[in-house]
Amino acid sequence: MEKFMTMEFLPELFVGSAGDIAAQILVYWGQFKMSVVVPFVFIFMYINLAMSIMMLIEKVYMAAVVSINKLIGGKPEKRYKCDPFEEDVELGSSVYPMVVIQVPMFNELEVYQLSIGAACRLSWPSDRIVIQVLDDSTDPVIKDLVLKECQSWQSKGVNVRYQVRDNRKGYKAGALKEGLKHPYAKECEYVVIFDADFQPEPDFLTRTIPFLHHNPQLGLVQARWKFVNSNDCLMTRMQEMTLDYHFKVEQESGSTSWAFFGFNGTAGVWRMAALDEAGGWQDRTTVEDMDLAVRASLKGWKFLYVGALMVKNELPSVFKAYRFQQHRWSCGPANLFRKMFYEIMKNKRVTFWKKVYLLYSFFFVRKIVAHVVTFTLYCVVIPLTVLIPEVRIPRWGVVYIPTVITLLNAVGTPRSFYLVVNWVLFENVMSLHRTRATLIGLFETQRSNEWVVTGKVGDASKAKTGTQQTQSRFKIGERIYKLELCLGIALFGCACYDLAYGDIHYYVFLYLQSITFMTVGFGYVGIHVPNS
């Protein structure tokens, strides 16, 4: 009894039963693993495989539509009348409709001259066009420079209107909406939008307005983007691959099959009547362009994509700017899907199948599933199956379907086909942020309405010497991305475990993916402009 009272028996108890405790823990873990963990991973895996099949069907469908359209020669000029305007001595320039060009900008020091100059050089009768520079800049120096640039073009006889607001309510959507309230804008039949880094060719209006003029059912004509800095770095080359697919396949197939696609927010011409009937610009999401397009489509308006007409613009070449852009582009559509689901379902002006196309194909598969499955399958499920060998991913789900999807994406940019492996690995890294942004938008949590203007570099990178850029590139501490770095380390650990104990050789992919995550995590992606 004295021994028990002094607790001298405790060390002996633990020493004697240490092996039993460890064995019991292993038994409990084994039971929990087989009854909870393994079934959960199985279910999670099959959900991802189902999403992969959805993506495959969607991409094969779009590729088939585009291919058939090309085989039958279905060019926009053959599907829609687009005769040029004929000169009339008696009517003079009045045969041309009134057009307002809107150029929204916010502290665009690097590109304001390029964008204003390109808009002012558009070929159209001077008395039938208004160039509207919507300047929301907060930097007084930049505002003064933009004003002087506008005054310079005014002195040359160009009808340029410099418009400012006393607040930034609604960001870009608010600026565009405010710009259309001016009396001279209300007199215009068409409105054209060019973001601050876009440089249209002089014949842009003569190649787009005729489609709208001769086809009253058309509400929008969208041009393709051409990237002036795609060769700046590997990151811009991979962006080019992604966006080329978007324009050549997604926009083309939507225009061909349903006469609907998401407006890209720039390099497009709207019929003022379509814009007004849809309710005008709204700032309820960060994708005001897509919001307007969906609302106009629900009113019965059709859209046309003209892929042969390309407008020069700049890709984000600084990773931080690209990450902000992708957050907005992923969060906004998911948030819009949440807001418009019932509105689309209840609409009586479009067919049942167009509703299915909008809700399932356009929103659910392309704007939600595509982002989520890219991250969860390749960066979560595969590592989990390495640690939980009881779960095996079917070969068709981890090899065949991803290969077909990758090849279908890569055909949009043949010159970069040799970069397809780099593109896949980088897209998987970006899917981390896109998935996060998609969930934020879908559940309308924090940052769902965050708007950060994509930073432009313009000629700044060319103005810097190579020495400056090289020196700044090695200041690692200035640009470490912890989330990418942590995930890269985790994937590296899974790769090492698979190399030691696995038998499916996932470690080859996991090593490459972990290196890509860590490369991005240490900031060795894109260019680095000092003070960017």
Side-chain angles (χ1 to χ4, degrees):
M1 177 64 68
E2 184 178 351
K3 181 177 181 181
F4 280 95
M5 291 297 290
T6 58
M7 297 186 179
E8 292 179 1
F9 75 100
L10 287 177
E12 296 177 9
L13 178 65
F14 279 102
V15 170
S17 61
D20 293 337
I21 293 174
Q24 287 180 355
I25 291 174
L26 288 175
V27 170
Y28 289 144
W29 163 245
Q31 293 175 346
F32 178 77
K33 177 182 175 182
M34 296 308 298
S35 61
V36 178
V37 177
V38 172
F40 172 78
V41 176
F42 259 115
I43 293 171
F44 191 50
M45 178 190 70
Y46 280 113
I47 289 173
N48 277 269
L49 292 177
M51 291 193 291
S52 294
I53 293 172
M54 290 180 191
M55 277 188 61
L56 177 65
I57 294 172
E58 180 68 14
K59 290 187 179 293
V60 170
Y61 162 74
M62 290 189 293
V65 170
V66 173
S67 300
I68 293 171
N69 186 57
K70 288 187 179 296
L71 287 174
I72 64 176
K75 295 182 179 181
E77 295 80 6
K78 291 186 177 181
R79 292 161 47 210
Y80 294 97
K81 185 179 179 182
C82 59
D83 297 336
F85 294 99
E86 297 181 0
E87 298 290 341
D88 191 301
V89 178
E90 294 183 1
L91 296 176
S93 62
S94 63
V95 296
Y96 291 85
M98 285 291 295
V99 180
V100 59
I101 313 294
Q102 292 189 301
V103 185
M105 54 179 57
F106 176 73
N107 295 335
E108 308 288 359
L109 178 63
E110 294 80 10
V111 295
Y112 76 93
Q113 286 182 306
L114 293 174
S115 58
I116 295 175
C120 291
R121 294 188 188 94
L122 288 170
S123 178
W124 203 253
S126 58
D127 61 332
R128 309 297 290 174
I129 186 173
V130 183
I131 313 296
Q132 192 180 65
V133 178
L134 306 169
D135 190 12
D136 274 359
S137 299
T138 54
D139 188 325
V141 175
I142 298 177
K143 290 183 75 170
D144 186 56
L145 290 172
V146 175
L147 174 59
K148 288 180 179 178
E149 183 69 16
C150 292
Q151 291 172 339
S152 173
W153 283 101
Q154 287 172 350
S155 66
K156 298 175 184 177
V158 180
N159 189 4
V160 181
R161 304 296 181 95
Y162 177 72
Q163 310 288 171
V164 296
R165 300 188 293 165
D166 56 4
N167 61 73
R168 288 195 68 215
K169 184 180 183 300
Y171 302 106
K172 178 183 172 182
L176 296 171
K177 185 176 182 178
E178 192 70 24
L180 294 181
K181 291 181 180 179
H182 295 281
Y184 63 84
K186 294 180 179 179
E187 297 175 359
C188 296
E189 190 174 348
Y190 304 107
V191 55
V192 189
I193 299 99
F194 293 115
D195 281 352
D197 58 316
F198 277 71
Q199 306 161 50
E201 295 297 330
D203 64 349
F204 180 88
L205 297 180
T206 58
R207 295 178 65 181
T208 54
I209 300 292
F211 282 110
L212 293 163
H213 183 75
H214 296 296
N215 304 277
Q217 74 274 31
L218 287 179
L220 166 69
V221 173
Q222 172 73 59
R224 183 181 155 193
W225 296 0
K226 179 181 180 181
F227 313 109
V228 297
N229 65 331
S230 58
N231 291 322
D232 273 10
C233 59
L234 187 59
M235 188 181 80
T236 53
R237 287 289 296 274
M238 290 183 286
Q239 286 180 68
E240 180 189 41
M241 293 176 70
T242 302
L243 289 171
D244 275 353
Y245 175 82
H246 167 69
F247 281 103
K248 290 184 178 181
V249 179
E250 291 182 346
Q251 300 294 74
E252 182 68 48
S253 65
S255 176
T256 302
S257 58
W258 294 97
F260 169 79
F261 48 82
F263 174 45
N264 294 112
T266 179
V269 186
W270 276 96
R271 186 187 301 274
M272 197 72 79
L275 195 152
D276 290 337
E277 187 181 359
W281 294 103
Q282 294 185 10
D283 59 1
R284 57 180 175 171
T285 70
T286 57
V287 284
E288 72 293 323
D289 43 14
M290 186 182 294
D291 187 353
L292 175 61
V294 174
R295 285 185 281 114
S297 178
L298 294 179
K299 295 294 183 180
W301 292 98
K302 294 183 178 181
F303 304 159
L304 175 65
Y305 167 70
V306 184
L309 178 57
M310 294 182 281
V311 181
K312 294 185 291 185
N313 71 295
E314 178 185 322
L315 290 165
S317 53
V318 177
F319 182 66
K320 185 177 181 180
Y322 182 54
R323 208 163 66 146
F324 277 126
Q325 181 202 67
Q326 292 303 296
H327 174 86
R328 189 173 76 248
W329 286 7
S330 303
C331 178
N335 193 227
L336 183 63
F337 176 65
R338 171 195 174 99
K339 285 179 163 61
M340 294 207 69
F341 182 86
Y342 290 109
E343 187 177 339
I344 294 172
M345 288 289 291
K346 294 177 182 178
N347 186 274
K348 297 180 180 179
R349 295 188 62 173
V350 298
T351 64
F352 169 77
W353 290 111
K354 188 163 187 178
K355 292 179 186 179
V356 171
Y357 173 77
L358 280 170
L359 291 173
Y360 173 78
S361 181
F362 180 76
F363 274 115
F364 184 66
V365 177
R366 296 188 214 169
K367 310 303 179 186
I368 297 176
V369 167
H371 299 324
V372 174
V373 72
T374 303
F375 175 68
T376 54
L377 179 59
Y378 304 114
C379 302
V380 179
V381 173
I382 290 178
L384 278 178
T385 57
V386 167
L387 303 176
I388 312 293
E390 291 84 355
V391 180
R392 292 294 182 99
I393 308 175
R395 185 179 295 273
W396 57 264
V398 77
V399 177
Y400 302 140
I401 288 180
T403 299
V404 174
I405 290 175
T406 299
L407 292 175
L408 289 174
N409 275 281
V411 296
T413 314
R415 79 183 188 101
S416 298
F417 190 79
Y418 69 97
L419 294 173
V420 68
V421 174
N422 304 74
W423 177 78
V424 168
L425 296 172
F426 183 69
E427 283 292 291
N428 289 347
V429 173
M430 292 309 303
S431 70
L432 166 65
H433 299 287
R434 291 173 184 147
T435 299
R436 184 183 178 188
T438 298
L439 295 177
I440 288 173
L442 199 58
F443 296 103
E444 206 164 28
T445 59
Q446 59 179 355
R447 294 184 65 195
S448 61
N449 290 311
E450 180 184 69
W451 181 285
V452 179
V453 176
T454 304
K456 317 294 190 308
V457 175
D459 294 328
S461 62
K462 299 174 185 177
K464 308 292 180 183
T465 63
T467 304
Q468 285 176 309
Q469 289 191 36
T470 303
Q471 288 177 346
S472 63
R473 186 175 292 276
F474 287 95
K475 295 180 181 178
I476 300 176
E478 294 180 0
R479 50 203 179 105
I480 287 182
Y481 301 96
K482 296 178 183 177
L483 199 56
E484 289 90 338
L485 201 55
C486 290
L487 192 53
I489 293 171
L491 291 175
F492 188 83
C494 289
C496 292
Y497 184 87
D498 188 53
L499 178 62
Y501 302 106
D503 59 352
I504 310 181
H505 307 302
Y506 283 150
Y507 65 84
V508 177
F509 163 74
L510 290 173
Y511 274 131
L512 292 173
Q513 191 63 72
S514 66
I515 290 170
T516 306
F517 265 103
M518 287 190 280
T519 300
V520 174
F522 280 117
Y524 287 98
V525 63
I527 68 170
H528 181 66
V529 179
N531 301 320
S532 63

